[in-house]
Amino acid sequence: MSDSIFRIWSIARYEAKVIMRGWTFRIGLLASVAALVIAYLMSHLTLRGVPLFYPGITELPSSFPYISLLLTNVLISIAGGLIAADSIYRDRSLDSKEAVFSRDFCILEYMLGKIGGLSLAFLINTISVLVITHIYILVFSGTEVSYKAFAIYPLLICLPSFVFFVGLSSLFQSVIGNKALTFIFTLGTMVFFIVLVADKFFYAFDAAGFRIPLILSEYTGLAKSTLTLAQRSAFLLAGAAMYLSAYLALNRPKQSRPVTSALTASVPILAAAAIILISGYIRYHTAGISMRAEMMDVAQGFKSEELATPCSFEIELVHNGDELDITTRIIIRNDTDRALDRYLFNLNPGLEVRSIRSGGKDLEFERVLQVIDIRPEKGLMPDYGDTVTVVCYGSIEDRACFPDADEAIRWRGYTFYEDVARDHRFTLFVKYSRFH
């Protein structure tokens, strides 16, 4: 075991040195730093009083590493993909008996060493970006440093994109065998995922993480954290499957048949896991569209009903992990010209009602998705009031928020309006609601 680790580390260290001495890595590093410096310089330039770069969002502590890594993520992934393809090309050019049989390691050790060296080289690139960002925050921003964001974002933004595009370019090079065609196909695929389909299917195919909600809140954490992890994990697993396929396609002698068999079996498993995660992500949001449409139909069914006027709310809320225990006392008044024999309220479908009471007695009610239809013991006469106590529990179903909002607007990350200097808004996805 120790010998295997030593061989992997030796390969990784050698590979990292070769990569960092190459011009592709140096150009990628310089381009990342230059893009970052230019972006932060632009944040201090204004057009009629409005900053030219990401106005408003830079007030959030977590936004600084977020923006920095988004800007450099594509550059890092492109450079990593090109270097990985070149590594496959060099391995292909050494396909001789002398080169193959002189190697004292199996394909798993060689593959782990190669990806380890590549990751080590680009870890230096990412750390350089984060160091510059940290210096900018301390010197120019005047906001506190979110070290949690500095730790999470490289894993959440950079790692899945990097592994996916490295695996993609490695597979192209292994199958095609031509560096120029591999470069063209890799860039074309990047454009496809980053530009053409990134905003389709609820951002499921946003490989670079430009559109999915990744702003980290100090209060609620990541918005839709489980879904976000599923989407990013899908690209990580897909990239790992393609990278394994690329090295298995080299068709080297099998120094360890069990290891080779395990690697071969892991390719469809990783690919299937990626497909399942992406499918679940899409199904979740598709079900949300159906839920909101059903909620609108339910609301239309009660449109003609007379409603009591709410005068005041008193809410007692206990936060138990992922669930809420809520007791709400609502004072209502009948401002209509006839007696009301039912009280209609909206409640998030994720919350379950334990009891509804008025005057110390339990009231009968019927739940139709988001609508609670309460039947008082006697009708509420005009100009009279009543106090209703609703006890409920559960987790907020955020797919039910804003059911009347247009779906195209709901899934638009941010928008420049006709006059950017006059009106610039950001839509930030947060738990349970959205801020404009």
Side-chain angles (χ1 to χ4, degrees):
M1 184 66 180
S2 59
D3 291 340
S4 181
I5 294 174
F6 174 76
R7 286 192 289 268
I8 293 171
W9 171 244
S10 299
I11 297 169
R13 187 173 56 182
Y14 173 78
E15 188 71 14
K17 288 181 179 180
V18 171
I19 290 171
M20 288 187 287
R21 290 171 182 171
W23 280 106
T24 303
F25 175 80
R26 296 178 184 180
I27 291 172
L29 178 60
L30 291 174
S32 300
V33 173
L36 194 60
V37 171
I38 292 172
Y40 281 125
L41 285 175
M42 288 179 62
S43 68
H44 292 278
L45 301 176
T46 61
L47 174 64
R48 283 181 269 171
V50 176
L52 294 177
F53 177 74
Y54 275 68
I57 198 172
T58 50
E59 300 300 324
L60 299 173
S62 63
S63 67
F64 288 98
Y66 171 67
I67 293 170
S68 299
L69 292 177
L70 276 187
L71 286 172
T72 58
N73 187 29
V74 174
L75 296 173
I76 292 174
S77 297
I78 291 174
L82 294 177
I83 291 173
D86 183 67
S87 177
I88 296 287
Y89 176 79
R90 284 189 280 112
D91 282 345
R92 283 283 192 189
S93 65
L94 295 176
D95 270 346
S96 63
K97 289 191 300 182
E98 291 79 6
V100 171
F101 289 113
S102 63
R103 293 173 173 172
D104 186 27
F105 41 77
C106 68
I107 189 171
L108 176 62
E109 295 169 344
Y110 184 64
M111 182 187 63
L112 291 177
K114 282 283 189 177
I115 192 65
L118 187 60
S119 301
L120 183 62
F122 282 93
L123 178 62
I124 296 173
N125 194 326
T126 303
I127 291 175
S128 301
V129 169
L130 293 177
V131 167
I132 294 172
T133 303
H134 189 265
I135 293 172
Y136 178 86
I137 295 173
L138 294 177
V139 176
F140 297 105
S141 73
T143 62
E144 63 182 54
V145 180
S146 176
Y147 290 105
K148 185 189 296 185
F150 273 82
I152 291 176
Y153 281 145
L155 300 176
L156 206 57
I157 297 175
C158 296
L159 182 61
S161 303
F162 180 75
V163 173
F164 179 75
F165 288 119
V166 163
L168 186 70
S169 62
S170 299
L171 184 60
F172 279 150
Q173 181 63 45
S174 185
V175 173
I176 299 172
N178 184 287
K179 283 205 296 185
L181 289 178
T182 297
F183 177 72
I184 293 172
F185 277 113
T186 301
L187 285 184
T189 308
M190 286 184 175
V191 170
F192 176 77
F193 278 104
I194 295 172
V195 178
L196 298 180
V197 299
D199 58 348
K200 305 294 191 301
F201 303 104
F202 320 106
Y203 314 142
F205 301 106
D206 181 15
F210 282 141
R211 296 185 179 273
I212 59 174
L214 291 173
I215 288 291
L216 180 65
S217 168
E218 296 295 329
Y219 299 100
T220 62
L222 284 171
K224 302 181 176 71
S225 57
T226 303
L227 289 174
T228 301
L229 289 174
Q231 195 265 3
R232 303 310 290 159
S233 297
F235 282 99
L236 182 66
L237 295 175
M242 290 187 290
Y243 190 77
L244 282 173
S245 300
Y247 272 90
L248 290 172
L250 292 176
N251 200 26
R252 294 292 168 81
K254 300 175 177 58
Q255 294 96 331
S256 174
R257 189 173 296 274
V259 170
T260 304
S261 300
L263 291 177
T264 304
S266 65
V267 171
I269 293 174
L270 291 172
I275 293 172
I276 290 171
L277 288 173
I278 286 293
S279 300
Y281 178 93
I282 294 174
R283 283 199 305 271
Y284 176 87
H285 289 296
T286 303
I289 293 178
S290 301
M291 176 190 293
R292 290 188 289 273
E294 187 179 355
M295 289 173 66
M296 292 302 297
D297 291 340
V298 169
Q300 287 294 323
F302 291 95
K303 188 176 181 180
S304 60
E305 297 291 334
E306 298 283 356
L307 301 177
T309 303
C311 299
S312 67
F313 293 85
E314 181 182 336
I315 301 176
E316 296 178 7
L317 187 146
V318 178
H319 195 199
N320 297 319
D322 292 333
E323 289 198 348
L324 303 173
D325 285 327
I326 304 170
T327 301
T328 306
R329 296 176 183 85
I330 310 169
I331 298 177
I332 58 175
R333 187 179 67 248
N334 184 2
D335 289 335
T336 68
D337 55 0
R338 66 181 183 85
L340 297 178
D341 58 356
R342 65 200 307 188
Y343 305 151
L344 298 177
F345 294 100
N346 281 326
L347 184 68
N348 187 281
L351 298 175
E352 297 291 335
V353 178
R354 278 201 179 100
S355 65
I356 299 178
R357 299 173 64 85
S358 177
K361 298 180 180 180
D362 289 331
L363 299 181
E364 294 182 359
F365 66 93
E366 182 180 356
R367 181 80 180 267
V368 184
L369 199 54
Q370 84 277 18
V371 176
I372 302 176
D373 186 357
I374 304 172
R375 299 303 175 98
E377 286 190 327
K378 59 181 181 179
L380 183 62
M381 301 303 293
D383 298 325
Y384 279 76
D386 195 0
T387 300
V388 179
T389 301
V390 180
V391 180
C392 55
Y393 68 97
S395 300
I396 299 294
E397 175 57 80
D398 54 344
R399 290 178 295 177
C401 296
F402 305 101
D404 56 340
D406 185 84
E407 293 296 332
I409 296 175
R410 178 183 291 272
W411 293 101
R412 185 166 56 195
Y414 63 88
T415 303
F416 278 101
Y417 287 83
E418 293 182 1
D419 189 353
V420 65
R422 176 175 54 83
D423 187 5
H424 183 205
R425 300 181 185 178
F426 280 92
T427 300
L428 302 179
F429 288 84
V430 296
K431 280 189 176 179
Y432 311 148
S433 63
R434 303 164 89 207
F435 287 135
H436 290 275

